[in-house]
Amino acid sequence: MSYAMIRHLRRTAILSQQIRVESTMTNLTQEDFVFRPPMAQWSKIIREAEKIVGYPTSFMNLRWLLSDEFANLAMHLRKIVGSNHPIMKTAKTVLYNEQNNLQPWGLIILLLSKAISPSTHSIQTTTLIEHQRMLAELTEMIRTGHYIHRGLLNIPVEEQDQKRDTSMFANKIAILIGDYLLVTANGMLARLRNQDLSYLISTALRDISEGEFFGPRDSQNMPLPGEPVNKNVDNFKINCDTIPLSVTDILGSPISEWTLRNMYNGGSLFGRGCEGAVLLAGKNVAEQKKAYLFGCHLCLAWQAASEISKFSTENQEPFSLVSAPVLFALNETPELYEKLKNVKTVTSIDFNDLKANISKTNAIEKTKRLYTENADKAKSYIEMFGDNESVNTIKRLINTI
């Protein structure tokens, strides 16, 4: 029955791709869930990495996709085929990660775990590997659940009539699927029976929640950029402490605003996942902090690379208004902000015109430097965990971006 259900899910995703035209809203996420590096080289490194960890990470998705609970929810997905609801794009992304490679968070955590785990075979080592694998899985599940929840459509009360039945139903399905993933992830975290690890992941969940209330938003809760300000120093320091992220004097400063938004949207969670893997291995606090900083900077490097690709001449996809190129362009040409500050819905913006204006500035070059800085920092932190096959594979993944 579970195998039949996964086929049913795939058919649902295929039908939705054939029937509907992708809506603008489904593309305008607050964080790029999908990253598309050069596929041939990237896929080769991914396969080599999975051989090192001894675990095909595609099974992370299948483990919860094949559950009876998710099967019941999947039955309802076909009812919203043909709609423009973001949940359909999310379903396709999760099911077809060969064509749309997810940023391989779980695989990176497993590679880091392999780099620091003892090479001896014992009951303790086997238990440690299983716990680190559970951590990698629950980190992916929290991320996916948050992504699904964030795709809800805000429907005004006065518009919740018969014409909106499909959207209302799709929202309910998105809430249930997201809740299922988050509850399952928290159950896995509880089974690890590690209070310190639970605390680390809880701080990441706090950051994800706080991020949904940071900065101006449109009527669909899509993020809008802060008003540009001129500052002599624009640098966001990533703090290893578990205290809430600082939001003082952030909006309007391109590097600080971009960094904070992406720490909220996933950087903190990935960093804590890496830190947790080192914690489970029994390493000291200094080693744990290195792992956290590695995860944060790698996530930021991935995000910068993804945003740069959105501004290539052949790419016609919409882009986030709080992406680095936009923030840099607004800071360099403040008059562009006048076109955005009173926006009611992101979908009303002429993205082609905005993209043309951004191309006239140095925003893309600044974003490339932002990527290089974070990628170099990620490599410098991962190199602190020794010269071994796992570390070298992570460095190859970074260099492929």
Side-chain angles (χ1 to χ4, degrees):
M1 179 177 178
S2 293
Y3 176 71
M5 185 51 58
I6 200 69
R7 293 183 63 190
H8 176 80
L9 263 174
R10 282 184 176 270
R11 178 166 174 75
T12 299
I14 291 172
L15 285 172
S16 68
Q17 190 172 15
Q18 292 173 342
I19 293 174
R20 72 191 181 91
V21 177
E22 196 76 50
S23 72
T24 305
M25 178 57 67
T26 60
N27 287 302
L28 295 173
T29 55
Q30 299 165 14
E31 171 201 16
D32 283 333
F33 189 66
V34 176
F35 172 65
R36 298 179 178 88
M39 283 304 300
Q41 186 178 1
W42 180 261
S43 298
K44 179 182 178 181
I45 299 176
I46 291 293
R47 289 194 298 270
E48 292 175 359
E50 289 180 341
K51 289 180 182 178
I52 294 173
V53 300
Y55 187 66
T57 49
S58 58
F59 288 145
M60 291 186 184
N61 286 336
L62 289 176
R63 184 174 291 192
W64 54 265
L65 282 174
L66 295 174
S67 69
D68 291 336
E69 293 88 347
F70 192 84
N72 291 330
L73 294 172
M75 288 295 296
H76 298 290
L77 280 177
R78 293 198 66 158
K79 297 179 181 180
I80 56 175
V81 169
S83 72
N84 287 324
H85 198 280
I87 185 63
M88 296 310 302
K89 181 181 179 183
T90 305
K92 289 188 294 183
T93 300
V94 172
L95 290 171
Y96 292 97
N97 60 353
E98 292 88 5
Q99 290 91 353
N100 300 308
N101 262 5
L102 309 182
Q103 297 173 5
W105 284 19
L107 182 57
I108 294 294
I109 293 175
L110 291 176
L111 285 170
L112 176 60
S113 301
K114 186 77 172 179
I116 59 177
S117 297
S119 56
T120 57
H121 295 284
S122 64
I123 296 177
Q124 290 80 5
T125 303
T126 303
T127 301
L128 171 61
I129 293 173
E130 180 59 29
H131 285 182
Q132 290 171 328
R133 185 175 297 172
M134 289 176 65
L135 173 62
E137 290 183 4
L138 71 89
T139 303
E140 291 268 18
M141 293 177 76
I142 291 173
R143 178 183 181 224
T144 306
H146 172 236
Y147 177 77
I148 292 172
H149 276 165
R150 202 173 52 192
L152 294 174
L153 295 176
N154 290 338
I155 304 173
V157 175
E158 62 273 14
E159 296 182 19
Q160 294 178 5
D161 52 21
Q162 293 298 319
K163 296 179 181 179
R164 296 281 181 163
D165 269 358
T166 302
S167 295
M168 292 288 291
F169 181 76
N171 272 358
K172 293 176 182 178
I173 295 301
I175 291 172
L176 287 172
I177 294 176
D179 285 351
Y180 164 72
L181 293 176
L182 293 174
V183 168
T184 304
N186 279 290
M188 294 171 66
L189 183 61
R191 289 198 297 274
L192 290 175
R193 298 179 181 274
N194 189 306
Q195 186 175 355
D196 292 333
L197 179 61
S198 296
Y199 176 68
L200 286 179
I201 300 301
S202 70
T203 62
L205 289 170
R206 175 204 64 206
D207 292 340
I208 287 175
S209 300
E210 290 182 354
E212 295 303 310
F213 300 93
F214 175 72
R217 304 268 168 164
D218 74 350
S219 61
Q220 285 295 331
N221 200 41
M222 302 305 294
L224 298 173
E227 184 174 0
V229 295
N230 291 320
K231 292 175 64 176
N232 294 328
V233 178
D234 181 14
N235 184 30
F236 185 91
K237 179 176 174 56
I238 299 176
N239 197 327
C240 295
D241 294 334
T242 54
I243 59 176
L245 298 171
S246 175
V247 298
T248 305
D249 297 328
I250 296 295
L251 287 173
S253 301
I255 295 178
S256 298
E257 181 176 341
W258 179 84
T259 304
L260 178 60
R261 286 184 184 277
N262 287 291
M263 286 295 293
Y264 275 142
N265 288 338
S268 176
L269 175 61
F270 186 40
R272 295 305 178 193
C274 294
E275 183 179 358
V278 178
L279 169 67
L280 289 174
K283 302 299 181 180
N284 59 43
V285 175
E287 296 291 297
Q288 295 172 32
K289 299 307 178 187
K290 292 174 186 175
Y292 173 71
L293 292 171
F294 157 71
C296 291
H297 286 293
L298 179 54
C299 187
L300 294 173
W302 261 326
Q303 184 62 28
S306 179
E307 292 174 358
I308 291 170
S309 69
K310 290 288 185 72
F311 285 85
S312 62
T313 54
E314 65 274 9
N315 195 322
Q316 299 301 315
E317 294 182 23
F319 47 87
S320 171
L321 293 183
V322 292
S323 60
V326 176
L327 295 177
F328 280 126
L330 295 181
N331 188 261
E332 186 176 328
T333 313
E335 52 267 26
L336 286 177
Y337 179 75
E338 298 300 318
K339 300 180 180 180
L340 304 178
K341 68 177 182 180
N342 295 320
V343 167
K344 298 299 182 183
T345 60
V346 168
T347 52
S348 65
I349 294 173
D350 184 344
F351 280 90
N352 289 329
D353 179 65
L354 181 58
K355 186 175 181 179
N357 285 316
I358 291 173
S359 65
K360 297 175 184 177
T361 69
N362 294 317
I364 304 301
E365 290 303 316
K366 291 179 180 178
T367 305
K368 289 179 180 178
R369 289 200 294 269
L370 191 63
Y371 155 72
T372 301
E373 291 172 5
N374 283 288
D376 288 345
K377 288 180 180 179
K379 284 188 283 189
S380 67
Y381 282 116
I382 196 60
E383 286 172 350
M384 296 179 183
F385 292 97
D387 182 11
N388 53 64
E389 191 176 20
S390 297
V391 169
N392 291 334
T393 302
I394 292 175
K395 289 165 64 177
R396 287 178 61 197
L397 283 170
I398 297 174
N399 291 333
T400 308
I401 301 176

